[in-house]
Amino acid sequence: MSNTPSNTRVRRTERETTDTEETATESEQNDLACPECAGNLVVDDEHGETVCEDCGLVVEEDSVDRGPEWRAFDATEKNEKSRVGAPTTNTMHDKGLSTNIDWRNKDAYGNSLGSRQREKMQRLRKWNERFRTRDSKERNLKQALGEIDRMASALGLPTNVRETASVIYRRALDEDLLPGRSIEGVSTACVYAAARQAGVPRSLDEIADVSRVEKNEIARTYRYVVRELGLEVQPADPESYVPRFASGLELSDEAEHRARALLQNAKEKGVHSGKSPVGLAAAAVYAAALLTNEKTTQAAVSDVADISEVTIRNRYHELLEAEETLGLA
């Protein structure tokens, strides 16, 4: 018995599939190109049109507006009219997906509830809170993420740092790195690591000031978390501290640029090796203020940078010597 008809049918099917794919690809390319001049097409959502960038041909009009049917003129009105909640976030232990019962004892029309209804709502709030943290892991995560948010707010860290710190803590919890260590210590180490990864570092002293654990424990826990999770944390760049210190001292842009130049010279001479980046940045800001004839003192720089005046003096002389050596060379 011959299989020729069957093979022919298979080849014909494969050929038809290939032709269909080529036709679909050509149609997609035609949709992205102008039919007149083959130029790029741009969708104008405001006017509901698809227009060619090159010749101005209106290819499509009266397109469907997929936005909301209402308009809002400020953030408060937008929040009131919106029918969706906030996006999911790692900064909350349930990622913001749970339901919250309003603390106000009012119904949907704004009328006050009766005594029996208030008691019922109070019981519902209590059980809702219990169900949100069903096991020890959820309770641990809730406490730690609250600590991360508190410290990030005190340090003025942006939202992306809080998200990163929350993800690092979740990884540490999943990898079972917490036994034998405090929740506050691990959460503080996660904030320190996230700030360095995001390029907005804070010194260990600044972290310790807002934390509930000692500086030595933070440093020890940080090294442990970075090693066990394999985090890629680059050494802190002294230049990343300069804008914050200059802003705290109310120095000019000229002084800030001068401080950056001093630090770049120090890197070329290798003076920064083995030195605290905070101390180098503070000394560079102090030296730049003097070089640009702006009034500041070592005590003021010490308060802003949270570092001793002795360190500032030592690093200050090293930075000036490095610049003089480069000038002579």
Side-chain angles (χ1 to χ4, degrees):
M1 185 174 180
S2 176
N3 292 330
T4 304
S6 176
N7 293 338
T8 304
R9 192 180 303 112
V10 169
R11 285 196 297 272
R12 187 180 298 117
T13 304
E14 291 176 351
R15 191 181 303 110
E16 290 174 354
T17 303
T18 305
D19 293 341
T20 305
E21 291 176 352
E22 290 177 354
T23 305
T25 305
E26 289 176 0
S27 63
E28 288 177 1
Q29 291 175 350
N30 292 333
D31 291 341
L32 298 174
C34 175
E36 292 290 333
C37 65
N40 293 326
L41 298 181
V42 178
V43 178
D44 185 357
D45 293 322
E46 184 178 354
H47 299 92
E49 298 175 343
T50 303
V51 187
C52 175
E53 276 187 327
D54 299 331
C55 66
L57 175 69
V58 178
V59 178
E60 185 181 351
E61 60 182 352
D62 297 331
S63 59
V64 177
D65 183 4
R66 303 188 183 277
E69 79 284 358
W70 44 263
R71 292 192 301 167
F73 300 97
D74 56 29
T76 305
E77 188 178 358
K78 181 178 180 181
N79 291 333
E80 288 176 353
K81 290 186 174 182
S82 178
R83 294 188 289 272
V84 296
T88 58
T89 172
N90 285 300
T91 58
M92 299 179 69
H93 71 282
D94 53 10
K95 296 191 177 181
L97 295 174
S98 61
T99 302
N100 293 320
I101 301 176
D102 196 359
W103 58 270
R104 292 169 294 189
N105 291 315
K106 294 184 178 181
D107 61 13
Y109 300 100
N111 301 321
S112 298
L113 300 177
S115 59
R116 189 181 297 274
Q117 285 293 97
R118 285 200 300 270
E119 291 177 2
K120 180 180 179 181
M121 295 306 296
Q122 187 60 33
R123 287 196 301 273
L124 287 174
R125 289 191 194 98
K126 184 187 298 183
W127 281 106
N128 182 57
E129 189 64 25
R130 289 176 179 174
F131 281 125
R132 287 181 65 186
T133 52
R134 290 188 298 272
D135 53 21
S136 60
K137 183 177 179 181
E138 289 286 327
R139 290 192 292 272
N140 182 314
L141 204 54
K142 184 177 181 181
Q143 180 181 346
L145 297 182
E147 279 291 296
I148 289 173
D149 190 60
R150 181 188 65 81
M151 289 185 287
S153 297
L155 293 167
L157 295 173
T159 307
N160 65 312
V161 176
R162 304 180 192 202
E163 288 278 349
T164 304
S166 302
V167 171
I168 293 174
Y169 189 89
R170 287 175 184 273
R171 286 186 58 195
L173 189 61
D174 292 337
E175 295 288 337
D176 202 23
L177 303 183
L178 268 70
R181 290 167 181 80
S182 66
I183 294 174
E184 291 82 1
V186 178
S187 58
T188 307
C190 292
V191 171
Y192 183 50
R196 291 186 61 173
Q197 280 189 329
V200 285
R202 296 292 185 267
S203 67
L204 207 53
D205 291 321
E206 290 177 295
I207 296 286
D209 287 341
V210 300
S211 177
R212 293 192 172 100
V213 294
E214 297 295 328
K215 179 180 175 181
N216 291 337
E217 183 181 347
I218 297 171
R220 184 169 60 249
T221 308
Y222 165 73
R223 289 193 295 267
Y224 174 73
V225 169
V226 169
R227 182 178 67 250
E228 293 297 321
L229 296 181
L231 301 178
E232 295 183 3
V233 181
Q234 299 295 328
D237 188 356
E239 289 187 45
S240 61
Y241 293 94
V242 169
R244 188 155 51 90
F245 294 167
S247 176
L249 294 166
E250 297 182 352
L251 299 178
S252 64
D253 292 341
E254 181 186 359
E256 184 178 333
H257 292 314
R258 193 74 178 83
R260 290 178 181 274
L262 286 169
L263 290 173
Q264 289 170 1
N265 292 337
K267 289 177 185 176
E268 290 182 21
K269 294 295 295 181
V271 174
H272 70 296
S273 180
K275 306 291 194 310
S276 167
V278 181
L280 281 171
V285 169
Y286 175 66
L290 297 182
L291 292 172
T292 54
N293 297 321
E294 297 187 33
K295 293 183 179 180
T296 190
T297 62
Q298 291 181 5
V301 178
S302 175
D303 290 338
V304 170
D306 196 15
I307 201 166
S308 68
E309 296 181 33
V310 177
T311 303
I312 294 174
R313 282 195 293 273
N314 292 339
R315 299 292 93 82
Y316 163 75
H317 292 300
E318 292 172 359
L319 289 173
L320 292 182
E321 288 174 5
E323 188 172 41
E324 289 176 2
T325 305
L326 282 174
L328 293 173

